[in-house]
Amino acid sequence: MDVGLYFDLRNPQGRRTDWKRLYSFTLEACEEADRLGIDSLWFSEHHLFDDGYLPQPLTFASAVAARTRRARIGTAVLVAPLRPAAHIAEEAAVVDLVSGGRLDLGLGTGYRPPEFDLYGASIARRYGATDARAREIRAFWDSGKLLPPPAQDRLPIWMGYQGPKGAHRAGLLGEGLLSANPELVGPYREGLTAGGHDPASARMAGALTVWPTDDPERDWPAVREHVRFQNDSYRRHMVEGTDQPAPRPVDPERIRARGITTGFHSLLLATPEEAAAKVREFVGDAPVSTVCFWASLGGMPEEMIMRQVRTVAQDLAPLLRG
């Protein structure tokens, strides 16, 4: 398995740093990860989060492309229904050219009403819209209608779908599945077959909430508070704009006790050797080509982020590639 790092550029109230410094430091962290041989760097998207969650991942990916040399650069995910297919196809092609052919385009449906309201998009039709964006983007690139073209002959598209129905949809499209959940292999391959694609072409990649450290108990008190913030933030923003009640605060101890899963509300805090073994056990024989790990949880300070970057790149990644 290749190994990646995942960034969201949160800047929480109460410990907010200068915005310019946050963005420049994240570029430095990406450069360091690239220098240390990390396989990929991934960027997420949300809008109207009170911590300034990264809103334009392809824009930031272009800056990362100019500052790195070998790591692949991905979106995990770009909220596809918020933008026209031509916009995504053109912007992704530019990033691919700037990077020298290193872009992976991850597309997702989104789920927050405020984001769809902000862009005047329909949340009710988001799944069909996301499928359509993938088909239209691929058609634009194949036709050569939009110039310039991407650097890659077939720029990888990944569908950020969860659950069996989503995995089947990704298969029908003949694109990658942006999940490391081994339970989705069956419906994904069934979708590939139903869509006229070779089931042996199945390719999966996904994020796992793993925090490797040489001393888990020493680091847990600091990590715990950022885990608490991150999970409470996701849960709070998830129900914003709906009639669902505000969720209760999370218990970080219960989150840690869940160990390794593909959901946000879990955490494996372990030594690199233990983490590698758990990741391999979890993934099993699923066709997972890449697993990626958070570089920062809930707006961590710079020293914690850079330590995570170096630990993943230098200690965990070699164990998972071997």
Side-chain angles (χ1 to χ4, degrees), residues 217-280:
E217 298 313 315
R218 177 200 66 203
D219 289 351
W220 174 234
V223 172
R224 177 176 55 210
E225 296 312 306
H226 294 280
V227 167
R228 185 199 309 275
F229 171 83
Q230 177 139 318
N231 282 270
D232 281 341
S233 173
Y234 270 126
R235 287 158 56 86
R236 185 176 71 255
H237 287 97
M238 189 177 293
V239 301
E240 188 177 9
T242 74
D243 57 4
Q244 298 181 49
R248 292 182 297 176
V250 300
D251 178 356
E253 301 294 340
R254 294 182 65 182
I255 289 172
R256 183 183 180 187
R258 293 190 184 106
I260 189 168
T261 74
T262 56
F264 288 119
H265 310 304
S266 63
L267 172 73
L268 174 66
L269 185 72
T271 66
E273 293 77 15
E274 292 168 336
K278 290 290 187 181
V279 169
R280 286 187 176 279

Side-chain angles (χ1 to χ4, degrees), residues 161-172 175-194 197-205 262 282-289:
Y161 286 152
Q162 305 301 314
K165 291 182 179 179
H168 191 268
R169 296 177 82 111
L172 289 173
E175 305 293 358
L177 177 61
L178 202 55
S179 173
N181 186 350
E183 296 179 0
L184 301 183
V185 175
Y188 177 39
R189 284 191 168 137
E190 290 169 5
L192 285 166
T193 301
H197 310 288
D198 183 356
S201 68
R203 53 192 175 91
M204 298 170 66
T262 56
F282 179 80
V283 171
D285 59 359
V288 175
S289 60

Side-chain angles (χ1 to χ4, degrees), residues 79 81-82 109-117 120-130 238 240-242:
V79 183
L82 304 186
T109 61
Y111 57 86
R112 295 186 63 241
E115 298 181 342
F116 284 80
D117 294 342
S122 169
I123 194 169
R125 295 193 292 271
R126 65 190 185 278
Y127 286 97
T130 302
M238 189 177 293
E240 188 177 9
T242 74

Side-chain angles (χ1 to χ4, degrees), residues 97-158:
L97 290 167
V98 171
S99 70
R102 291 184 284 136
L103 181 66
D104 286 86
L105 182 64
L107 303 176
T109 61
Y111 57 86
R112 295 186 63 241
E115 298 181 342
F116 284 80
D117 294 342
L118 179 67
Y119 277 81
S122 169
I123 194 169
R125 295 193 292 271
R126 65 190 185 278
Y127 286 97
T130 302
D131 287 351
R133 296 295 185 276
R135 293 191 185 98
E136 292 162 2
I137 291 165
R138 186 66 75 195
F140 276 130
W141 289 337
D142 289 345
S143 71
K145 180 179 179 181
L146 298 181
L147 297 176
Q152 298 174 86
D153 290 336
R154 186 173 176 81
L155 195 159
I157 293 177
W158 299 85

Side-chain angles (χ1 to χ4, degrees), residues 5 7 28-39 41 70-71 306 309 313:
L5 284 165
F7 296 83
E28 292 170 14
C30 291
E31 283 186 285
E32 178 70 354
D34 184 61
R35 184 185 71 80
L36 295 173
I38 203 72
D39 298 300
L41 302 162
R70 61 171 303 280
M306 199 61 84
V309 166

Side-chain angles (χ1 to χ4, degrees), residues 60-72:
F60 193 76
S62 190
V64 172
R67 298 273 290 266
T68 56
R69 294 292 175 265
R70 61 171 303 280
R72 293 196 63 81

